[in-house]
Amino acid sequence: MLLFGLGWALDAFEVTLIGNVLGALRQHFGLGSNAMSVILAAWFVGLMIGAAGFGALSDRLGRRRVFLASLVLYGVATLATAFAPNLAALLVLRLLGGIGVGAEYSAINAAIAELVPSRSRGRAAAIVLNFWPLGSFIAALLAWLVLSSLPPDLGWRVVFGLGGVVALSAAWFRRHLPESPRWLIDADRAEDARAIVAGIEAGLTTLPPASAVPVVHRIRREAGQFGRLVRQYPGRLLLGAALDFAEAAGYYGLFAFLPIVVLPVLHLPADRLPLFYLAGSVGAAVGGLAAASLLDRIGRSWTVGGFYLATALGLVLFALVTGLGAGPIMLGFALVNLLATGSWIAAYPTFSELFPTALRATGIGASVAVGRVGAALSPFLVGYVGARSMPAALVMLAGFWALGAVAILIWRLRGGIEARGLALEQLSAASARGV
């Protein structure tokens, strides 16, 4: 689990890197709010493509291959961003980097669900996902140190360069990640699965390598994955898509709010922006740990619904302090990020475990892809509304989170499964009365 957690921290490092240097990019390229939104949108479109496309590949070729491929792709793209000669090149490289990170979203959440026993699956998955605040904290700290020490025109390039080196170096550690035993069993490779499980139980650091996937099995898995998902599990897919859309639009809109609205309105220098993200990362760690402690205690639905609703209310309260200056805004951001992080850390294990093994990464990828549509649109909406009223922009984001709370409520009212304590095989077999 530690390797999965470190991989997730690396994803957070890469995802939040762009937000920390957006102020410096604004100065370097002379960007307005719409242009900054385009940079963020390019990244989110990449996440959408990577989650949808590589999610299906992860179900066909295995989780481990996607882990390694995604790492190399976004590592190379991030390193190359440091040498981007113009804005167009930067947009293309951010798109490619987003594809790599999007690939990770579907594969890692599928693997976590498949490797952890049912009695502690929610807590263990949430703990792994809680490495996200660690990665975002390191990204913010690195950006603050570099941007406060170097000229902004050079600083943002150094930040991306270091980010790419970190990503590529992590490939050395990822070589130890095992293939999912459940995926191997589904691929008619029971012997390989037993070898992986035996290696994990023995505490081996080097596990048996993955052998080639039989061609016949690949062809069988390629036929109609998404169609089967829609036909057999429409309610689960709708829940995953709704929860991810709500959190992605609300979460990334919140992070876009700082560079697009707060920075120009308060006339803050670019090297101040990472300090807001540092404060937000501290709050995120608390929220993630709270979600991890609740998922297997009070259940998925109560945890997810409670956090989403609390985040919506927190944003409304945050809107009331935006006129008090930078200090209250930083504190409000940290508190709302606490709730927002608890929300999505609770949501990912909740919808990930509902899909059967053969379709899990495809289902997660489809849900994440829908979510990235919200993430791509949110910066433009935040910029448009925030230019007229900062409080109104935050109330709008509260509406996205309220949508997620309504989605989990409808799921339960329609007889949707509460997965706490249930084995994945039980979840796959349950009909859930048509949902």
Side-chain angles (χ1 to χ4, degrees):
M1 287 295 109
L2 178 61
L3 286 175
F4 285 117
L6 292 175
W8 196 243
L10 181 61
D11 290 344
F13 180 89
E14 298 295 331
V15 167
T16 55
L17 206 58
I18 183 65
N20 283 282
V21 301
L22 203 53
L25 293 174
R26 175 173 171 264
Q27 291 182 9
H28 180 76
F29 292 109
L31 305 177
S33 62
N34 284 337
M36 288 192 288
S37 298
V38 169
I39 293 176
L40 294 174
W43 173 255
F44 294 133
V45 169
L47 290 175
M48 178 180 64
I49 295 171
F54 280 83
L57 284 177
S58 181
D59 279 336
R60 297 168 191 167
L61 305 179
R63 316 311 189 204
R64 187 173 181 272
R65 285 180 173 86
V66 173
F67 289 148
L68 297 175
S70 66
L71 178 61
V72 172
L73 177 57
Y74 70 68
V76 170
T78 301
L79 182 60
T81 303
F83 305 97
N86 50 48
L87 182 58
L90 186 140
L91 289 172
V92 171
L93 291 168
R94 286 294 79 201
L95 176 71
L96 293 175
I99 292 174
V101 174
E104 180 90 350
Y105 279 17
S106 53
I108 197 169
N109 282 284
I112 292 169
E114 293 163 3
L115 283 168
V116 181
S118 58
R119 66 180 180 276
S120 58
R121 187 174 59 244
R123 182 175 67 255
I127 289 174
V128 170
L129 297 180
N130 206 46
F131 275 75
W132 184 279
L134 174 63
S136 62
F137 182 88
I138 294 173
L141 182 61
L142 174 65
W144 176 63
L145 292 173
V146 172
L147 292 176
S148 61
S149 303
L150 297 173
D153 287 353
L154 176 62
W156 69 266
R157 295 185 184 275
V158 172
V159 171
F160 278 120
L162 291 174
V165 170
V166 169
L168 293 174
S169 299
W172 176 257
F173 298 99
R174 285 241 181 135
R175 77 192 194 282
H176 292 308
L177 285 175
E179 184 55 86
S180 163
R182 277 189 168 90
W183 182 87
L184 290 170
I185 291 172
D186 188 70
D188 301 324
R189 293 163 58 187
E191 289 298 324
D192 286 345
R194 280 191 285 269
I196 294 289
V197 172
I200 294 174
E201 292 176 344
L204 299 179
T205 57
T206 303
L207 297 172
S211 56
V213 183
V215 173
V216 172
H217 184 73
R218 291 186 188 182
I219 294 174
R220 177 170 61 86
R221 296 178 72 90
E222 287 176 4
Q225 282 175 293
F226 184 74
R228 180 184 164 195
L229 195 65
V230 172
R231 290 192 303 274
Q232 297 184 6
Y233 304 96
R236 305 180 194 200
L237 184 59
L238 284 173
L239 176 67
L243 289 179
D244 207 279
F245 180 89
E247 69 85 8
Y251 183 80
Y252 290 112
L254 177 64
F255 274 72
F257 175 74
L258 294 177
I260 293 176
V261 179
V262 173
L263 202 66
V265 169
L266 298 184
H267 305 289
L268 297 175
D271 61 358
R272 288 285 302 279
L273 185 58
L275 294 177
F276 285 82
Y277 290 126
L278 281 171
S281 297
V282 175
V286 177
L289 290 173
S293 68
L294 292 173
L295 276 171
D296 287 322
R297 290 185 180 180
I298 67 174
R300 290 12 175 190
S301 301
W302 281 107
T303 304
V304 172
F307 266 107
Y308 272 67
L309 182 59
T311 305
L313 295 175
L315 279 162
V316 173
L317 295 176
F318 184 19
L320 300 178
V321 304
T322 53
L324 301 180
I329 289 177
M330 182 181 293
L331 179 60
F333 175 73
L335 293 176
V336 172
N337 197 31
L338 181 156
L339 298 170
T341 302
S343 297
W344 69 257
I345 282 183
Y348 268 92
T350 297
F351 68 78
S352 296
E353 62 193 7
L354 294 177
F355 300 112
T357 299
L359 299 171
R360 181 164 292 113
T362 301
I364 295 170
S367 301
V368 171
V370 172
R372 294 326 100 167
V373 173
L377 293 175
S378 191
F380 292 100
L381 295 174
V382 166
Y384 178 79
V385 177
R388 291 153 178 79
S389 169
M390 278 203 289
L394 293 173
V395 172
M396 177 193 68
L397 295 178
F400 287 123
W401 289 103
L403 175 65
V406 171
I408 195 69
L409 176 62
I410 293 174
W411 169 257
R412 292 299 290 145
L413 290 177
R414 292 194 61 202
I417 301 171
E418 169 54 58
R420 179 180 54 162
L422 297 180
L424 293 180
E425 290 75 14
Q426 292 176 280
L427 296 175
S428 297
S431 65
R433 291 190 299 217
V435 299

